[in-house]
Amino acid sequence: MNGTSSQGRIDPSPVPNQTEIVVIGGGIVGVTAAIHLAERGIPVVLCEKGRIAGEQSSRNWGWIRKTGRDLRELPLMIESARLWARIVPQLDTDIGYGVRGTTYLAENDAEFEPHEAWYEAAKPFQLDTVLLSSAETDRFLGRGDRRFRGAIHTPSDATAEPALAVPAMARYAKKCGVTVLENCAVRMVERANGAVVGVVTEHGEIACKSVILAGGVWSRTFLENLGLNLPQLAVKSSVLRTGPAPEIVSGGLGAARASVRRRLDGGYTIARSGAAEFQLIPAAFRHFGAFLPVLRDRWRIMTIKAGRDFFGPLGTARWRADEETPFERVRVFDPKPDPRLINSVMNAARELHPQLADAHPVETWGGMIDVMPDEIPVLDSPPGWQGLLIATGLSGHGFGIGPGAGLLAAQMTTGETPVVDPKPFSLSRFSRRAVA
């Protein structure tokens, strides 16, 4: 089992002439939104330009965590954790899901203090999170060298295999009645008198009353063609997996220099949080000011790259409904990982964890992450577009919160009372210029 290829094909379905709701994007948010709609008896068509979970939804770390979440996201993540436990028994394959805990290690006081601050701030949510001393961290890790200043640990967090999880969810969605269309790019959303009336796909039109746009890094490009300007950019992350190695702990184990997760196949998925490549494309210049706080905070571990990507698929593009789109030219975005970063992260993981002394990468991959300036999602409708719900910008931690985001998107689309207050995810938190 590799790290990025989604497992299991979805049987092809014919393109219908009409439905109630169209979901654009076959990642975890789009798939779970479709499930929630179908479970309510609502006809829904899910359109994916390539294959289900072909991009970031199969390329992430596989953490399902509450630990360290932005407090604005935490209520939705708590609900999402419940949804994970509910949906897993319905799936037709073992996706490696398990409640195994998340632990963030701190090598010094500077790394430990943010964990302490988050622990205090999150107390009203009554989580099972605990702070561990240096000695307690040693006992937890089964070592005695006092390598770490301490840790923060949440036993109720979980992990799963992304490449298995979302395709299995899509197959469950089909059983629930969702029409799942792979290799079917949506070119345009049509509206009349300010309200959605349908979509134009590469294979024909589908009349509908509502659309959920869950297109990940492609959402901004899609919206720009509709005259909507969303302050979302894409950054490239690099990840590796090892072959089988001795167990450290069964769950997610984070640290500033390298984070590791025990895999179903006995190896580890390893990466460095926040270390990413920021691509200079036209949108980067338009939204540079909004992203300056993120760049300043991570300037030591984030690289800024200019090159041919300026004119690439995420650059500036315009098309008509009868023209080929960037989504058809790039069915699956498969960026090359950064070999220097991979080498640095692997060396750091070996230094932090003696059990990995003989471990080596057997696969590496890159993933494009849809990032918002404040690094929390957008779940909202743009002014003048009744029936269009944007669900994007999960900013590198969408796998865990995905089912909750899908539920909230479904509820907001149908007018159902939302499971959490959606205000933190509104478009209005950005300047009027950003969404005009």
Side-chain angles (χ1 to χ4, degrees), residues 178-404:
V178 177
T179 299
V180 180
L181 305 176
E182 292 186 301
N183 295 305
C184 183
V186 174
R187 293 175 170 177
M188 192 85 70
V189 175
E190 296 184 311
R191 63 174 174 163
N193 300 318
V196 168
V197 296
V199 301
V200 179
T201 80
E202 62 181 299
H203 301 304
E205 297 185 17
I206 305 174
C208 64
K209 295 179 181 179
S210 300
V211 170
I212 296 175
L213 175 62
V217 294
W218 300 95
S219 298
R220 176 189 53 76
T221 302
F222 187 91
L223 291 169
E224 284 178 349
N225 193 56
L226 300 178
L228 298 167
N229 196 7
L230 181 74
Q232 174 184 290
L233 295 177
V235 299
K236 185 179 79 173
S237 179
S238 298
V239 189
L240 69 92
R241 73 174 178 95
T242 72
E247 182 172 285
I248 308 168
V249 296
S250 61
L253 194 56
R257 295 190 292 141
S259 294
V260 308
R261 174 185 64 82
R262 182 76 166 172
R263 295 171 56 90
L264 185 62
D265 59 15
Y268 287 88
T269 295
I270 305 179
R272 179 174 295 160
S273 179
E277 185 177 284
F278 184 86
Q279 298 283 344
L280 284 181
I281 58 174
F285 291 96
R286 284 198 302 276
H287 304 304
F288 194 79
F291 280 86
L292 270 177
V294 175
L295 295 173
R296 281 197 298 260
D297 184 52
R298 299 183 182 177
W299 70 271
R300 293 182 184 275
I301 57 176
M302 182 175 284
T303 60
I304 299 178
K305 181 181 177 181
R308 62 184 181 182
D309 287 322
F310 189 91
F311 303 102
L314 295 179
T316 299
R318 293 291 184 273
W319 61 88
R320 300 189 308 269
D322 60 350
E323 293 180 322
E324 185 185 55
T325 67
F327 321 122
E328 294 151 76
R329 292 190 287 272
V330 182
R331 296 289 179 180
V332 176
F333 212 144
D334 189 22
K336 294 182 179 179
D338 182 341
R340 289 183 297 179
L341 177 58
I342 290 292
N343 185 61
S344 174
V345 172
M346 187 70 251
N347 287 338
R350 293 189 190 106
E351 182 182 340
L352 291 170
H353 306 293
Q355 296 93 329
L356 301 180
D358 297 322
H360 297 277
V362 296
E363 184 185 17
T364 64
W365 64 90
M368 299 302 291
I369 299 172
D370 48 321
V371 179
M372 304 306 298
D374 56 5
E375 299 185 274
I376 66 169
V378 167
L379 288 153
D380 201 1
S381 296
W385 284 83
Q386 180 183 341
L388 174 61
L389 192 286
I390 302 169
T392 191
L394 277 76
S395 302
H397 37 82
F399 183 66
I401 207 171

Side-chain angles (χ1 to χ4, degrees), residues 132-141 143 146 148-150:
L132 303 180
S133 68
S134 180
E136 290 169 331
T137 302
D138 271 0
R139 286 196 292 273
F140 176 76
L141 297 174
R143 56 198 289 177
R146 299 295 171 92
F148 300 102
R149 158 65 179 82

Side-chain angles (χ1 to χ4, degrees), residues 65-145:
R65 64 172 176 86
K66 298 176 288 292
T67 316
R69 285 271 174 186
D70 189 299
L71 297 186
R72 293 168 293 181
E73 281 188 331
L74 200 46
L76 188 57
M77 183 60 227
I78 291 170
E79 180 62 30
S80 194
R82 297 191 188 104
L83 292 170
W84 272 101
R86 180 178 72 82
I87 196 172
V88 167
Q90 312 301 321
L91 304 181
D92 61 7
T93 190
D94 180 4
I95 66 167
Y97 172 84
V99 176
R100 304 179 176 101
T102 294
T103 309
Y104 282 101
L105 304 170
E107 295 189 69
N108 49 52
D109 287 339
E111 292 178 4
F112 190 68
E113 287 167 4
H115 298 321
E116 286 184 305
W118 186 89
Y119 174 77
E120 293 297 326
K123 279 185 175 179
F125 295 95
Q126 299 181 322
L127 304 177
D128 57 345
T129 304
V130 294
L131 292 173
L132 303 180
S133 68
S134 180
E136 290 169 331
T137 302
D138 271 0
R139 286 196 292 273
F140 176 76
L141 297 174
R143 56 198 289 177
D145 56 1

